[in-house]
Amino acid sequence: MDHLLDLIQVRPINSASNFKNLFYILAFWRLILCLSVLYEIALIYILFQSVDDARQLLTHLDANLGKPLPEKDYGGSCKIYDPDNLESPFHNFWDKMDGFVPTHFFGWWLKTLILRDYWLCNVMSIGFELLEYSLQHQLPNFSECWWDHWILDFLVCNGLGIYLGMKTCEYFEMKPYNWRGLWNIPTFKGKIKRIVTQFSPYSWVSYEWRPTSSLKRWLFMIVLIVLFFMAELATFYLKFILWIPPPHFLCLGRLIFMWLVGAVAMRESFEYLDNTLCKKMGTQTWVCIAIIMTELLICLKFDWETVTKPFPPEVAFWWYIFLSALVTWTIGQFLIRPYFWPQEAGQVEKKKE
């Protein structure tokens, strides 16, 4: 047990134990890599089962699993105040206040800690709400009222989570480090503060993604966002297909585990993108991509009819407009503009650098 507790230490208590703590830090992230490989092997095994066998397989972890779930529809009446219900006129609002509210907030706080960019976090936050609009014909869970999407989720939960996450990043980036040993701190309050900071990062790197600075970075960011959305959507599709209730420890455990895997993969990806001396992406990044793709294959194999339900015409139309605009802007920005206005493109590039 003592060794397991030591694994989560990320700050040295005194200079004499620096090497020991560094060893434990490396061991912890190496453990995450090993567990991610084991998770990928488990996913591959599940992929070669039938959907019924996969559901029954999960009953070995919890006998209460393997039963169809009632899928909650968050749409319905979108009246915040219902005058016809005298006992609880705000019942529509309180019905939406379930476990997904704190999950949204803490989820985006943790996601911001690994993305570390206001622009990227808000683009993903808006993008996922639009994906919920687009896919509500496949999963009733995505059907929500407009104020649930844009006020409760985007502005309140996601927005506050992103803000707190960026403030946490700024705190870790600028905080002073106290290299004195615990017992050299004279006051009791100082000792308590030093113990708390023992669990904060030893070092912190801020990310500047600069997606429009080059075609490579732009395409890299598009792929990163798509993979991120695939991992997010897999949470909802897997629980729907495998009959896992949202509060179950498997759902929460997967979210926490994928956050740890994503933290390393994001750090490796940024290093590959930003460091000219780095010629290839790290192992954890490739394992993370393999996990996302295998989860996608499980969803496609086990519930092909749901996953391949065609978009409604109006949804398909707006996605066609968006993708056309994206391709047109990419060609104009990175291929046409540098060719016809090379000096202007070069000046913009210098300002970005």
Side-chain angles (χ1 to χ4, degrees):
M1 179 61 70
D2 292 338
H3 292 293
L4 291 177
L5 292 176
D6 285 341
L7 285 177
I8 64 174
Q9 294 182 357
V10 292
R11 287 285 304 279
I13 290 181
N14 55 62
S15 57
S17 62
N18 282 0
F19 180 78
K20 180 181 178 180
N21 280 274
L22 180 61
F23 171 78
Y24 285 144
I25 294 169
L26 296 176
F28 173 74
W29 292 115
R30 182 63 64 177
L31 174 64
I32 296 300
L33 175 60
C34 294
L35 292 177
S36 63
V37 173
L38 291 176
Y39 179 59
E40 169 64 10
I41 294 173
L43 288 175
I44 294 175
Y45 178 78
I46 293 175
L47 179 62
F48 285 90
Q49 309 302 311
S50 66
V51 61
D52 292 330
D53 290 340
R55 290 165 180 166
Q56 292 303 313
L57 184 64
L58 294 178
T59 60
H60 294 286
L61 300 175
D62 187 347
N64 295 322
L65 296 177
K67 303 173 184 176
L69 300 177
E71 191 71 12
K72 185 174 181 179
D73 186 347
Y74 289 86
S77 176
C78 291
K79 293 181 179 179
I80 299 178
Y81 179 82
D82 186 2
D84 297 330
N85 192 321
L86 300 179
E87 294 183 0
S88 180
F90 293 97
H91 67 94
N92 287 325
F93 174 78
W94 292 116
D95 286 344
K96 274 70 173 179
M97 301 297 291
D98 55 11
F100 281 105
V101 174
T103 301
H104 271 278
F105 172 75
F106 288 108
W108 273 104
W109 174 52
L110 294 174
K111 292 170 194 173
T112 305
L113 293 182
I114 64 175
L115 296 173
R116 307 179 191 178
D117 186 274
Y118 268 120
W119 174 89
L120 183 58
C121 289
N122 281 289
V123 166
M124 288 186 173
S125 178
I126 295 174
F128 192 78
E129 296 302 321
L130 294 177
L131 282 175
E132 287 187 335
Y133 271 119
S134 304
L135 298 173
Q136 62 186 7
H137 67 289
Q138 295 183 2
L139 295 184
N141 188 225
F142 286 156
S143 177
E144 299 177 352
C145 295
W146 66 268
W147 52 265
D148 197 355
H149 275 295
W150 301 112
I151 299 179
L152 187 59
D153 286 351
F154 174 68
L155 287 179
V156 178
C157 296
N158 300 0
L160 289 178
I162 292 172
Y163 177 79
L164 179 61
M166 290 304 298
K167 288 300 178 181
T168 306
C169 291
E170 294 175 6
Y171 171 75
F172 284 147
E173 184 179 359
M174 297 184 298
K175 68 178 297 186
Y177 293 108
N178 186 358
W179 295 96
R180 291 186 297 171
L182 176 65
W183 306 112
N184 293 329
I185 300 176
T187 63
F188 177 76
K189 181 179 178 180
K191 286 183 173 65
I192 296 298
K193 184 178 179 180
R194 184 64 185 85
I195 292 174
V196 173
T197 56
Q198 173 71 18
F199 299 96
S200 62
Y202 177 76
S203 62
W204 192 263
V205 177
S206 60
Y207 295 165
E208 293 184 7
W209 293 101
R210 294 183 289 116
T212 60
S213 61
S214 68
L215 180 60
K216 174 187 174 181
R217 299 181 80 99
W218 177 251
L219 295 178
F220 191 95
M221 292 304 300
I222 291 177
V223 173
L224 186 149
I225 292 174
V226 170
L227 290 173
F228 192 94
F229 284 153
M230 289 171 61
E232 289 278 293
L233 291 173
T235 304
F236 295 90
Y237 280 92
L238 287 174
K239 74 177 182 63
F240 174 80
I241 294 171
L242 298 177
W243 297 346
I244 305 175
H248 198 272
F249 73 89
L250 287 178
C251 287
L252 183 60
R254 177 192 171 275
L255 289 174
I256 296 174
F257 177 70
M258 288 300 292
W259 176 73
L260 292 171
V261 173
V264 181
M266 200 66 62
R267 181 68 182 89
E268 293 177 346
S269 300
F270 181 78
E271 187 70 18
Y272 169 75
L273 190 64
D274 205 58
N275 188 352
T276 56
L277 299 178
C278 184
K279 302 301 180 182
K280 60 180 182 180
M281 292 189 293
T283 305
Q284 186 68 86
T285 303
W286 289 112
V287 175
C288 183
I289 294 174
I291 289 173
I292 294 173
M293 299 308 296
T294 308
E295 289 181 339
L296 172 64
L297 292 176
I298 290 175
C299 295
L300 290 173
K301 178 185 178 182
F302 287 174
D303 202 349
W304 176 261
E305 293 183 359
T306 297
V307 179
T308 57
K309 282 183 181 178
F311 289 112
E314 61 277 10
V315 174
F317 170 77
W318 285 111
W319 275 109
Y320 174 77
I321 295 296
F322 168 75
L323 293 176
S324 300
L326 180 65
V327 172
T328 302
W329 186 89
T330 301
I331 294 175
Q333 175 70 15
F334 298 107
L335 299 179
I336 298 178
R337 185 181 181 185
Y339 182 80
F340 288 99
W341 299 279
Q343 294 181 352
E344 181 180 347
Q347 292 175 358
V348 173
E349 179 67 22
K350 289 181 180 179
K351 289 182 179 179
K352 291 176 180 177
E353 293 177 353

